[in-house]
Amino acid sequence: MNGITYVRGDATAPQARGVKIVAHVCNDLGGWGKGFVLAVSRRWSEPEAAYRRWHRDRARNDFGLGAAQFVQVEPCVWVANLVGQRGMRTGRSSGVPVRYEAIDAALGRLADRAGELGASVHMPRIGCGLAGGSWERVEPLVVRRLVERGIPVTVYDFGG
């Protein structure tokens, strides 16, 4: 066992006590509209609005690959917008948008915030949906950045 708890369910409804951070991967283009972000937006409007503002004002902030934005959506729930993919996959694109080094850097920022808040982290298999990544490459990053720092992590597989 690597210290990650795997469950079936919805990562936007984290099952834990205390402060929780729901983490997911975003692209570096300011696009929000497919994949897990739809579930996030169905539950809370703030993360999308904050992400779009963050991207729009990127000349004056830290938006970019490897960055992380934290948006409080409930008294004990935060959403972490992690910029871990370059662009978006299209019919003409070759290769996958996932950037493992960016996910790694963003997970480091997530670990710092989770430590400050005393929070557990809840996520789908980040970087592995529309970003096209491999969980075999992402999972060790999650273990090294979060689990080895003592941060409880739950990964949610949606459905049944």
Side-chain angles (χ1 to χ4, degrees), residues 18-21 70-72 75-79 110-120:
V19 179
K20 298 165 277 297
I21 300 174
F70 302 93
V71 183
Q72 190 167 13
C76 289
V77 181
W78 295 71
V79 171
L110 172 59
D112 291 343
R113 181 57 61 94
E116 291 166 10
L117 296 171
S120 57

Side-chain angles (χ1 to χ4, degrees), residues 26-31 51 55 58 63-65 83-88:
C26 304
N27 63 65
D28 65 349
L29 295 179
Y51 170 78
H55 177 263
R58 65 192 176 278
F63 184 93
L65 286 170
V83 184
Q85 71 179 70
R86 161 90 61 210
M88 293 180 272

Side-chain angles (χ1 to χ4, degrees), residues 10-132:
D10 180 356
T12 68
Q15 303 302 306
R17 294 187 184 280
V19 179
K20 298 165 277 297
I21 300 174
V22 175
H24 68 104
V25 165
C26 304
N27 63 65
D28 65 349
L29 295 179
W32 182 291
K34 289 186 176 176
F36 183 72
V37 297
L38 296 177
V40 171
S41 289
R42 274 193 297 275
R43 191 167 299 270
W44 310 288
S45 61
E46 300 95 329
E48 177 179 358
Y51 170 78
R52 290 187 185 280
R53 269 193 315 275
W54 189 32
H55 177 263
R56 187 175 56 247
D57 297 336
R58 65 192 176 278
R60 295 179 298 281
N61 64 39
D62 67 344
F63 184 93
L65 286 170
Q69 179 189 52
F70 302 93
V71 183
Q72 190 167 13
V73 293
E74 294 177 16
C76 289
V77 181
W78 295 71
V79 171
N81 295 328
L82 310 178
V83 184
Q85 71 179 70
R86 161 90 61 210
M88 293 180 272
R89 197 184 305 209
T90 66
R92 294 188 303 263
S93 60
S94 60
V96 294
V98 69
R99 294 294 179 268
Y100 297 107
E101 63 283 353
I103 290 175
D104 187 44
L107 286 170
R109 291 175 175 87
L110 172 59
D112 291 343
R113 181 57 61 94
E116 291 166 10
L117 296 171
S120 57
V121 173
H122 304 264
M123 64 178 72
R125 292 180 189 242
I126 59 170
C128 298
L130 295 173

